[in-house]
Structures are given as structure tokens and as C-alpha cells.
Amino acid sequence: MNRLFLGVLLSVLIVESAQAQYKPKKRKSDFFGGAQDYRDISKNALQISFGPNYTLSHLKNEKVDGVDELNRPINYTVDPAGRVGGFIDIGMAHYRFKPSRILGAIYKMRGEKGEIKWIGANLIHRVDWGLGFDYIGGTEKTTTNYLDLTGNVVNTVEGQGKFYNGYVYGRFTADRFTLLSDNWHLETGLGVNFNYMVMEGSQSYTETPMAEQKFQKNFMAQIHGHLGFQYRVRRGDYLVFGFYLPAIGVYEANRLKPTVQWFSSNYWPVHLQVKWIHHFTKKSNGCNTGTPEDRKRNEEYMQNR
């Protein structure tokens, strides 16, 4: 799974490098024509993230040979499967970080002019965080074959267990953007999430399984990756369509697997995300004439009339 995440991240960096030279053409409507929005937009915004999740599991079922408590020869197969859940969190987003001084110093040492094209002047363009609820589930079926001394199957027993765990969680994600068009940006980022189980799922099986079982503790912490496409609805309002998924398990480490352990299997929750971002408008005591950039455009228009 870690290799898959690193491959996705590498692909994103290649896309950013290929599009680093793209600059949208300024349209006539950017300078005059139509209603102008002169609101003074804050760097801080409300964010709401929500969507479905789905737990991925091993594609190859685990098959084990052994003996039961009566020393009879058996073999059993563990077959996990995912279930659809959902999540929502509400918090804030913070924009417009200053260019990195460290990157600027490295750049000067290279003796080149302009920004570093591969990673840009800003490592981070936005950080956002949220507090919410995550509903994660899975299912597992175990098929046990009882054998005679010659290895033939004399009896087969199937057992199944299903669960949904409910977690309250806190999420923090840092993103940087790649410009795709006038209204679209590609977002790539990393973050951390802390989950605490408040609704414990079922641990029961229809038949007692032979496989060893282990159940996740209440608290878990993970490092996650984020990939999304941001659409500009209007100035100060954005929609992001993408996904975030855990990449490294910090606690319980489980050999750094970013999964939920339940029954005899591991479940990897992938979150398909829709995010709404709404910037706050700064209060003004007098007539709001817009940002310095808006006023400059208006002056250019008045001079060229």
C-alpha cells in the first residue's frame, strides 16, 4: 500500500513539473465588463468535508493448513471484504503562505533567476483541519474444511462476521496547488489524522473461526495522502473533488500498515471526498473599494477609456 501511495505521489509531481509553465491568458472580462466583486476576502475560510468511504482488503485470500483442538487435520480460508461507510468533518482552511526563505537561499546558491520550477516558491499553499465522525466497516468469511487421514474433505463449516466502527476524529492536511485552467487546480498534500472509537463494532461470528483474531484498539493515528481537483465556483467559494487515504500507520503501528485490524484481517479505508471552502469577508467601516489588485485593474481601465 505504501508503494501504491508513493507511486501516486510521484505521478502527481510529474504532472506538476509538466504544467509548471502554464499561465492562463488574461481575459477582457478580468479588467472590465460585468459585475465586479470588490469584497475584501479573508485568508481564512470555513471548510466542510464529507463523502463515502470504502475498506479495501487483500485481493488474495489467506489459506492455512493445521489441526483443530481434537488434533483433526483441517484447512481454512479467510476471505475479507469491504463495506461502504461515510464521514464528515467541519473546520477551517488557511491560505496564502509566504515563499520559503530556505528554498530562496537554495535557489540563489544555484545561481538561477525566478522561482524553482519543480516545486515552486511555496511548499504549502493551504492548510485545513476538521473535527468529525468516520463510520468504517468490513466483513469476513472463514471456510473451514475438516479432513480425514487421507486428506479428503469430510465436512465444511462456514462462519461470517460483520462490523461497523464509529470514530470521532481530528484531521490536519497541508496542500499545494498546480494550475490546470482558469477555474481548476490540482491539489496534492499530506496530513495526519487522529481517530478514537466511540462505537465499537460487532466481534461475533456465526461460527467460531479457527484463525487467530485481533481487534483494533480504540485510538489510532495515521499519516494520510490527499489528491483532489479544486473548482472555483466564484471568488471566495471553492469545491474540491478528490480523496484522502491513510498511507502510514503511526499508532497502532501494525508494521506501519495504515489499516484497521478486525477479526483476522486488515481493512484499508479509502475516503472519497467533497470539500466546500467558503472564505470570510473582512468587515469595512466605509465603502469597500476592493483589494489593491482590484483597484489597480480599475485604474488601468479608467486610464484607457
Side-chain angles (χ1 to χ4, degrees), residues 26-39:
K26 292 184 178 181
R27 298 170 298 181
K28 188 176 181 180
S29 60
D30 291 336
F31 295 94
F32 53 86
Q36 297 295 325
D37 187 351
Y38 289 119
R39 291 176 303 152

PDB file of all heavy atoms in Angstrom, residues 26-39:
ATOM      1  N   LYS A  26      -5.076  36.326 -19.777  1.00  0.00           N
ATOM      2  CA  LYS A  26      -5.972  37.269 -19.134  1.00  0.00           C
ATOM      3  C   LYS A  26      -7.095  37.612 -20.090  1.00  0.00           C
ATOM      4  O   LYS A  26      -6.864  37.991 -21.231  1.00  0.00           O
ATOM      5  CB  LYS A  26      -5.205  38.537 -18.729  1.00  0.00           C
ATOM      6  CG  LYS A  26      -4.201  38.284 -17.620  1.00  0.00           C
ATOM      7  CD  LYS A  26      -3.538  39.578 -17.170  1.00  0.00           C
ATOM      8  CE  LYS A  26      -2.578  39.328 -16.025  1.00  0.00           C
ATOM      9  NZ  LYS A  26      -1.933  40.574 -15.566  1.00  0.00           N
ATOM     10  N   ARG A  27      -8.306  37.479 -19.593  1.00  0.00           N
ATOM     11  CA  ARG A  27      -9.463  37.755 -20.418  1.00  0.00           C
ATOM     12  C   ARG A  27      -9.885  39.200 -20.242  1.00  0.00           C
ATOM     13  O   ARG A  27      -9.609  39.842 -19.238  1.00  0.00           O
ATOM     14  CB  ARG A  27     -10.617  36.826 -20.020  1.00  0.00           C
ATOM     15  CG  ARG A  27     -10.295  35.345 -20.219  1.00  0.00           C
ATOM     16  CD  ARG A  27     -11.359  34.486 -19.591  1.00  0.00           C
ATOM     17  NE  ARG A  27     -11.400  34.742 -18.157  1.00  0.00           N
ATOM     18  CZ  ARG A  27     -12.249  34.093 -17.338  1.00  0.00           C
ATOM     19  NH1 ARG A  27     -13.093  33.219 -17.818  1.00  0.00           N
ATOM     20  NH2 ARG A  27     -12.234  34.359 -16.053  1.00  0.00           N
ATOM     21  N   LYS A  28     -10.591  39.692 -21.247  1.00  0.00           N
ATOM     22  CA  LYS A  28     -11.073  41.062 -21.190  1.00  0.00           C
ATOM     23  C   LYS A  28     -11.968  41.273 -19.984  1.00  0.00           C
ATOM     24  O   LYS A  28     -11.953  42.330 -19.349  1.00  0.00           O
ATOM     25  CB  LYS A  28     -11.824  41.379 -22.489  1.00  0.00           C
ATOM     26  CG  LYS A  28     -12.210  42.842 -22.641  1.00  0.00           C
ATOM     27  CD  LYS A  28     -12.868  43.061 -23.996  1.00  0.00           C
ATOM     28  CE  LYS A  28     -13.231  44.514 -24.189  1.00  0.00           C
ATOM     29  NZ  LYS A  28     -13.875  44.753 -25.497  1.00  0.00           N
ATOM     30  N   SER A  29     -12.737  40.242 -19.629  1.00  0.00           N
ATOM     31  CA  SER A  29     -13.658  40.358 -18.506  1.00  0.00           C
ATOM     32  C   SER A  29     -12.943  40.475 -17.173  1.00  0.00           C
ATOM     33  O   SER A  29     -13.545  40.835 -16.171  1.00  0.00           O
ATOM     34  CB  SER A  29     -14.610  39.162 -18.475  1.00  0.00           C
ATOM     35  OG  SER A  29     -13.884  37.957 -18.349  1.00  0.00           O
ATOM     36  N   ASP A  30     -11.632  40.137 -17.159  1.00  0.00           N
ATOM     37  CA  ASP A  30     -10.883  40.290 -15.931  1.00  0.00           C
ATOM     38  C   ASP A  30     -10.656  41.754 -15.587  1.00  0.00           C
ATOM     39  O   ASP A  30     -10.362  42.102 -14.443  1.00  0.00           O
ATOM     40  CB  ASP A  30      -9.515  39.584 -16.029  1.00  0.00           C
ATOM     41  CG  ASP A  30      -9.671  38.080 -16.068  1.00  0.00           C
ATOM     42  OD1 ASP A  30     -10.708  37.596 -15.573  1.00  0.00           O
ATOM     43  OD2 ASP A  30      -8.778  37.408 -16.607  1.00  0.00           O
ATOM     44  N   PHE A  31     -10.701  42.646 -16.587  1.00  0.00           N
ATOM     45  CA  PHE A  31     -10.402  44.055 -16.369  1.00  0.00           C
ATOM     46  C   PHE A  31     -11.651  44.926 -16.386  1.00  0.00           C
ATOM     47  O   PHE A  31     -11.760  45.902 -15.670  1.00  0.00           O
ATOM     48  CB  PHE A  31      -9.432  44.553 -17.446  1.00  0.00           C
ATOM     49  CG  PHE A  31      -8.096  43.881 -17.356  1.00  0.00           C
ATOM     50  CD1 PHE A  31      -7.825  42.751 -18.112  1.00  0.00           C
ATOM     51  CD2 PHE A  31      -7.131  44.348 -16.502  1.00  0.00           C
ATOM     52  CE1 PHE A  31      -6.596  42.123 -18.027  1.00  0.00           C
ATOM     53  CE2 PHE A  31      -5.900  43.722 -16.409  1.00  0.00           C
ATOM     54  CZ  PHE A  31      -5.623  42.609 -17.169  1.00  0.00           C
ATOM     55  N   PHE A  32     -12.613  44.594 -17.212  1.00  0.00           N
ATOM     56  CA  PHE A  32     -13.844  45.364 -17.234  1.00  0.00           C
ATOM     57  C   PHE A  32     -14.942  44.528 -17.862  1.00  0.00           C
ATOM     58  O   PHE A  32     -14.689  43.492 -18.462  1.00  0.00           O
ATOM     59  CB  PHE A  32     -13.677  46.686 -17.990  1.00  0.00           C
ATOM     60  CG  PHE A  32     -13.106  46.520 -19.376  1.00  0.00           C
ATOM     61  CD1 PHE A  32     -13.920  46.245 -20.454  1.00  0.00           C
ATOM     62  CD2 PHE A  32     -11.731  46.637 -19.576  1.00  0.00           C
ATOM     63  CE1 PHE A  32     -13.389  46.092 -21.717  1.00  0.00           C
ATOM     64  CE2 PHE A  32     -11.206  46.469 -20.852  1.00  0.00           C
ATOM     65  CZ  PHE A  32     -12.015  46.202 -21.924  1.00  0.00           C
ATOM     66  N   GLY A  33     -16.152  44.979 -17.666  1.00  0.00           N
ATOM     67  CA  GLY A  33     -17.292  44.232 -18.208  1.00  0.00           C
ATOM     68  C   GLY A  33     -17.863  43.323 -17.149  1.00  0.00           C
ATOM     69  O   GLY A  33     -17.145  42.596 -16.484  1.00  0.00           O
ATOM     70  N   GLY A  34     -19.155  43.375 -16.953  1.00  0.00           N
ATOM     71  CA  GLY A  34     -19.800  42.533 -15.967  1.00  0.00           C
ATOM     72  C   GLY A  34     -19.653  43.116 -14.577  1.00  0.00           C
ATOM     73  O   GLY A  34     -18.918  44.061 -14.335  1.00  0.00           O
ATOM     74  N   ALA A  35     -20.359  42.513 -13.627  1.00  0.00           N
ATOM     75  CA  ALA A  35     -20.321  42.987 -12.251  1.00  0.00           C
ATOM     76  C   ALA A  35     -18.992  42.608 -11.611  1.00  0.00           C
ATOM     77  O   ALA A  35     -18.554  41.466 -11.695  1.00  0.00           O
ATOM     78  CB  ALA A  35     -21.481  42.388 -11.471  1.00  0.00           C
ATOM     79  N   GLN A  36     -18.348  43.578 -10.981  1.00  0.00           N
ATOM     80  CA  GLN A  36     -17.073  43.332 -10.317  1.00  0.00           C
ATOM     81  C   GLN A  36     -17.306  42.984  -8.849  1.00  0.00           C
ATOM     82  O   GLN A  36     -18.173  43.568  -8.193  1.00  0.00           O
ATOM     83  CB  GLN A  36     -16.185  44.578 -10.430  1.00  0.00           C
ATOM     84  CG  GLN A  36     -15.801  44.945 -11.854  1.00  0.00           C
ATOM     85  CD  GLN A  36     -14.917  43.885 -12.494  1.00  0.00           C
ATOM     86  OE1 GLN A  36     -14.092  43.277 -11.813  1.00  0.00           O
ATOM     87  NE2 GLN A  36     -15.094  43.651 -13.775  1.00  0.00           N
ATOM     88  N   ASP A  37     -16.557  42.020  -8.357  1.00  0.00           N
ATOM     89  CA  ASP A  37     -16.653  41.609  -6.960  1.00  0.00           C
ATOM     90  C   ASP A  37     -15.548  42.298  -6.183  1.00  0.00           C
ATOM     91  O   ASP A  37     -14.378  41.942  -6.305  1.00  0.00           O
ATOM     92  CB  ASP A  37     -16.523  40.085  -6.867  1.00  0.00           C
ATOM     93  CG  ASP A  37     -16.776  39.570  -5.457  1.00  0.00           C
ATOM     94  OD1 ASP A  37     -16.873  40.398  -4.530  1.00  0.00           O
ATOM     95  OD2 ASP A  37     -16.865  38.352  -5.289  1.00  0.00           O
ATOM     96  N   TYR A  38     -15.901  43.311  -5.384  1.00  0.00           N
ATOM     97  CA  TYR A  38     -14.905  44.076  -4.647  1.00  0.00           C
ATOM     98  C   TYR A  38     -14.860  43.708  -3.171  1.00  0.00           C
ATOM     99  O   TYR A  38     -14.356  44.470  -2.361  1.00  0.00           O
ATOM    100  CB  TYR A  38     -15.193  45.575  -4.788  1.00  0.00           C
ATOM    101  CG  TYR A  38     -14.911  46.113  -6.174  1.00  0.00           C
ATOM    102  CD1 TYR A  38     -15.928  46.685  -6.934  1.00  0.00           C
ATOM    103  CD2 TYR A  38     -13.637  46.032  -6.718  1.00  0.00           C
ATOM    104  CE1 TYR A  38     -15.677  47.163  -8.202  1.00  0.00           C
ATOM    105  CE2 TYR A  38     -13.374  46.511  -7.988  1.00  0.00           C
ATOM    106  CZ  TYR A  38     -14.396  47.074  -8.723  1.00  0.00           C
ATOM    107  OH  TYR A  38     -14.135  47.548  -9.981  1.00  0.00           O
ATOM    108  N   ARG A  39     -15.379  42.550  -2.823  1.00  0.00           N
ATOM    109  CA  ARG A  39     -15.300  42.123  -1.430  1.00  0.00           C
ATOM    110  C   ARG A  39     -13.850  41.919  -1.016  1.00  0.00           C
ATOM    111  O   ARG A  39     -13.030  41.430  -1.790  1.00  0.00           O
ATOM    112  CB  ARG A  39     -16.067  40.815  -1.235  1.00  0.00           C
ATOM    113  CG  ARG A  39     -17.574  40.931  -1.369  1.00  0.00           C
ATOM    114  CD  ARG A  39     -18.214  39.552  -1.243  1.00  0.00           C
ATOM    115  NE  ARG A  39     -17.672  38.623  -2.240  1.00  0.00           N
ATOM    116  CZ  ARG A  39     -17.601  37.302  -2.067  1.00  0.00           C
ATOM    117  NH1 ARG A  39     -18.004  36.762  -0.946  1.00  0.00           N
ATOM    118  NH2 ARG A  39     -17.127  36.530  -3.029  1.00  0.00           N
TER     119      ARG A  39
END
